[in-house]
Amino acid sequence: MKGEVEMSGLRERQKRSRQMDILASAREHFQQRGYESTSIENIAETAGVSAVTIYNHYRTKGGVLLALVTESDSVLIGKIQKVMQAPPEEPLTAVCAFFGTVNEHAFSYLDRELWRHVIAISVIEGDSQFGQVYRSLDAELIRLLAALLEDLDHRFDRLQSDDHLTAAEVLYNVHNARFMEYIIDPACSESRRDSLTRRDIAFVMAQLERIDS
């Protein structure tokens, strides 16, 4: 029995190691060649596995890209949690720090071109396993943002709205709109993205406060 457990654990570690090799290879090829010019065979050769192995696990090249994004989720969540441990007292600054962390992580991991493919694939393959996992990150980030808003409310009494989840959903959607604009429009700079995001967030937070005042 002990031997079976050890063998099972070994197989899981080997499987995990192969997945990490595949995703590392995919990221390298996507960044160097571009998404369109990268094939499953390119990824497989560098990862030292067969193309069939990749197809069996990820189904499509899009599935590999979505898996690559979700692989970085734990790193992003860790960064967000650090922001939440000691947030600025001013709600607008705290929320902007939250989304600034999201942006910094996203574009240090993948460039704008790859993010355009990620968004498209998340729609086309949204019902797939990796599409569902990718979407679950949105829900987790909204939950964390709601927790941040609630914490600011309790510690500093700086917010007038007590519907923290709805506020978080609205603010997240506002951020996503500017995120999309940035990846679609090559003329949009980081500074313009950040200034417009801050302006929009400030406007929405002011409206939310008026509703409850």
Side-chain angles (χ1 to χ4, degrees):
M1 185 69 176
K2 180 180 178 181
E4 292 179 2
V5 172
E6 290 176 347
M7 285 300 297
S8 176
L10 176 61
R11 285 192 293 271
E12 284 300 314
R13 289 193 296 273
Q14 290 174 336
K15 179 181 178 181
R16 178 61 177 163
S17 179
R18 283 195 303 272
Q19 291 173 348
M20 294 297 291
D21 289 342
I22 291 169
L23 295 179
S25 172
R27 186 182 180 197
E28 177 184 346
H29 282 288
F30 288 152
Q31 289 181 327
Q32 293 181 0
R33 296 169 176 262
Y35 179 79
E36 296 291 352
S37 297
T38 296
S39 67
I40 291 290
E41 288 71 23
N42 294 145
I43 298 170
E45 181 178 3
T46 303
V49 300
S50 70
V52 172
T53 297
I54 297 179
Y55 281 116
N56 284 343
H57 188 70
Y58 299 101
R59 300 298 179 189
T60 66
K61 186 171 65 172
V64 176
L65 181 58
L66 291 181
L68 183 60
V69 175
T70 58
E71 183 64 30
S72 71
D73 288 358
S74 60
V75 177
L76 172 57
I77 296 303
K79 291 178 179 179
I80 291 293
Q81 289 172 339
K82 285 184 179 180
V83 172
M84 295 176 64
Q85 287 173 2
E89 292 188 20
E90 208 284 307
L92 174 59
T93 303
V95 172
C96 287
F98 182 101
F99 288 124
T101 301
V102 173
N103 285 340
E104 184 278 331
H105 176 80
F107 294 107
S108 68
Y109 200 67
L110 299 177
D111 61 26
R112 283 201 243 192
E113 179 188 359
L114 287 173
W115 274 110
R116 286 195 290 271
H117 288 291
V118 169
I119 298 302
I121 293 164
S122 70
V123 174
I124 295 170
E125 301 188 18
D127 291 335
S128 70
Q129 172 192 349
F130 297 106
Q132 292 172 4
V133 172
Y134 172 81
R135 287 202 310 277
S136 70
L137 175 61
D138 287 343
E140 178 62 12
L141 288 175
I142 289 170
R143 186 192 69 78
L144 288 171
L145 181 57
L148 173 62
L149 295 175
E150 184 174 7
D151 181 57
L152 290 168
D153 214 357
H154 289 165
R155 290 206 288 161
F156 307 118
D157 193 26
R158 299 297 302 275
L159 299 176
Q160 295 187 37
S161 173
D162 59 2
D163 189 351
H164 304 110
L165 183 58
T166 296
E169 289 175 344
V170 172
L171 290 167
Y172 191 78
N173 288 334
V174 167
H175 166 263
N176 268 0
R178 290 302 180 189
F179 186 96
M180 289 288 292
E181 179 183 24
Y182 177 69
I183 65 173
I184 292 171
D185 182 5
C188 183
S189 65
E190 288 184 23
S191 60
R192 176 173 172 78
R193 176 200 68 199
D194 293 343
S195 64
L196 289 176
T197 300
R198 184 180 181 88
R199 184 201 67 180
D200 294 350
I201 289 172
F203 179 82
V204 172
M205 292 183 73
Q207 300 309 307
L208 290 171
E209 290 177 357
R210 287 174 190 164
I211 289 173
D212 288 339
S213 61

